């Protein structure tokens, strides 16, 4: 695999000018937590959210000396070498990050190549779609499963937790529902921000009628990524916040089951 120092031109809206390559933070060849079965996972550079609990703080910037610039062909060579393992476990590939939608042309091209090889594709996204155009539709047409991180439906708490409003994420969720796109919601249970009954009910009410979403994955907060904040020279603001107790997770599970969704955690 080639490693380059890259300084891509990025536009003010976060997109860079696409020239056939993706800016990749890292690759996990046999991931087990980012979708069904074993997954070949690409962690993309770039994210415009600022989640207080972010466990991939080092993916935020699109410009970085440590990233790799890879073509679809270079990535596919690796994917093809793993495809029997991936298929045997009901797995496939996952694009995550950072936020993969910021490099949606590359993900579209990569997923198109995967589907040509009959490989399951999964998009793990915070829903921060900047453009609703043929590229996004083409990407979604080649996506078997969207895993949508819905961090908080209440706009004020979302802003406090994520640094920006949730308008774009909610719009994306509605768009997926209109398309009847198979999707799973991921909900991080963060003590003091998303672990209360009201927040769980707001989520249930928002997705309750969305037939394209059959499952909600509950992810209890953990501070495993805190050290990356320090490495990036930032203060981790959730120091001292403990993972939610199991009873809290079970209680939220019960609330969301009341809205007709399968819950996994
Ligand atoms: S959306 Fe993901 S990568 Fe971006 S700040 Fe939040 S947790 Fe980190």
């Amino acid at each position: 695999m080639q490693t380059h120092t890259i300084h891509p031109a990025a536009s003010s809206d976060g997109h860079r000018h696409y020239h056939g390559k993706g800016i990749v933070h890292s690759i996990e060849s046999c991931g087990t937590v980012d979708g069904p079965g074993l997954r070949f996972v690409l962690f993309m550079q770039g994210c415009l959210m600022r989640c207080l609990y972010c466990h991939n703080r080092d993916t935020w910037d699109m410009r970085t000396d440590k990233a790799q610039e890879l073509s679809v062909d270079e990535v596919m060579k690796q994917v093809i070498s793993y495809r029997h393992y991936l298929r045997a476990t009901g797995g496939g590939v996952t694009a995550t990050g950072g936020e993969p939608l910021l490099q949606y042309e590359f993900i579209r091209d990569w997923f198109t190549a995967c589907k040509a090889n009959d490989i399951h594709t999964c998009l793990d996204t915070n829903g921060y779609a900047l453009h609703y155009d043929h590229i996004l539709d083409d990407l979604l047409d080649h996506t078997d499963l969207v895993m949508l991180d819905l961090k908080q439906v209440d706009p004020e708490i979302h802003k406090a937790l994520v640094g920006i409003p949730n308008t774009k994420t909610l719009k994306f969720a509605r768009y997926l529902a209109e398309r009847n796109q198979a999707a799973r919601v991921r909900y991080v249970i963060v003590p003091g921000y998303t672990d209360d009954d009201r927040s769980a009910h707001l989520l249930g009410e928002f997705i309750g009628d969305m037939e394209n979403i059959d499952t909600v994955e509950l992810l209890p907060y953990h501070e495993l990524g805190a050290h990356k904040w320090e490495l990036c020279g930032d203060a981790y603001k959730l120091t001292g916040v403990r993972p939610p107790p199991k009873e809290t997770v079970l209680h939220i599970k019960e609330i969301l089951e009341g809205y007709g969704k399968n819950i996994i955690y």
Side-chain angles (χ1 to χ4, degrees):
M1 183 192 310
Q2 281 181 295
T3 302
H4 304 279
T5 298
I6 41 178
H7 298 286
S11 59
S12 56
D13 63 6
H15 275 296
R16 71 198 172 96
H17 301 296
Y18 183 58
H19 51 85
K21 295 201 171 193
I23 303 177
V24 178
H25 169 272
S26 55
I27 295 175
E28 199 178 336
S29 50
C30 285
T32 56
V33 295
D34 291 302
L38 278 182
R39 317 290 306 179
F40 180 97
V41 185
L42 272 196
F43 293 84
M44 307 302 294
Q45 277 302 142
C47 184
L48 297 172
M49 292 192 178
R50 296 292 178 257
C51 302
L52 294 180
Y53 56 81
C54 182
H55 46 275
N56 291 321
R57 165 65 187 88
D58 49 347
T59 63
W60 286 0
D61 300 332
M62 194 66 86
R63 294 167 185 268
T64 164
D65 289 344
K66 289 185 184 155
Q68 307 159 66
E69 193 171 10
L70 297 172
S71 67
V72 168
D73 285 351
E74 286 169 317
V75 174
M76 284 309 289
K77 268 186 202 135
Q78 296 191 51
V79 172
I80 295 293
S81 71
Y82 288 106
R83 71 171 185 269
H84 297 302
Y85 298 104
L86 305 176
R87 281 213 197 103
T89 61
V93 303
T94 298
T96 183
E99 174 44 51
L101 283 180
L102 296 185
Q103 300 190 57
Y104 73 156
E105 296 108 323
F106 175 78
I107 304 299
R108 183 267 316 265
D109 292 350
W110 180 38
F111 279 10
T112 302
C114 288
K115 292 317 298 173
N117 285 278
D118 197 23
I119 294 168
H120 184 273
T121 55
C122 178
L123 177 71
D124 180 21
T125 176
N126 62 28
Y128 203 95
L130 291 164
H131 303 292
Y132 285 78
D133 56 13
H134 68 282
I135 299 170
L136 181 68
D137 284 335
D138 208 10
L139 161 58
L140 293 173
D141 285 345
H142 292 90
T143 301
D144 292 309
L145 177 66
V146 176
M147 296 202 298
L148 177 63
D149 300 327
L150 262 176
K151 295 160 192 301
Q152 171 58 266
V153 175
D154 179 283
E156 292 308 317
I157 307 175
H158 187 277
K159 216 170 164 193
L161 180 65
V162 174
I164 57 171
N166 57 10
T167 329
K168 283 193 163 56
T169 303
L170 301 187
K171 178 180 175 184
F172 188 69
R174 291 189 189 101
Y175 191 66
L176 295 178
E178 273 168 30
R179 286 177 53 98
N180 198 25
Q181 179 98 32
R184 169 194 295 184
V185 162
R186 295 182 121 184
Y187 183 67
V188 182
I189 303 174
V190 190
Y193 290 91
T194 62
D195 64 340
D196 57 293
D197 288 20
R198 178 175 167 272
S199 295
H201 279 294
L202 281 176
L203 175 63
E205 284 161 16
F206 182 69
I207 62 173
D209 291 338
M210 294 181 173
E211 290 177 5
N212 61 316
I213 297 171
D214 65 353
T215 299
V216 177
E217 185 175 357
L218 299 179
L219 302 163
Y221 162 81
H222 62 71
E223 50 180 18
L224 295 180
H227 69 283
K228 293 185 187 170
W229 287 67
E230 285 155 27
L231 288 175
C232 292
D234 291 337
Y236 187 67
K237 298 193 184 76
L238 296 183
T239 300
V241 174
R242 310 301 306 158
K246 189 163 186 194
E247 304 83 69
T248 302
V249 179
L250 291 175
H251 183 59
I252 291 178
K253 173 178 185 280
E254 212 173 281
I255 290 175
L256 291 171
E257 280 171 345
Y259 291 89
K261 303 299 178 189
N262 300 317
I263 310 297
I264 56 174
Y265 66 94

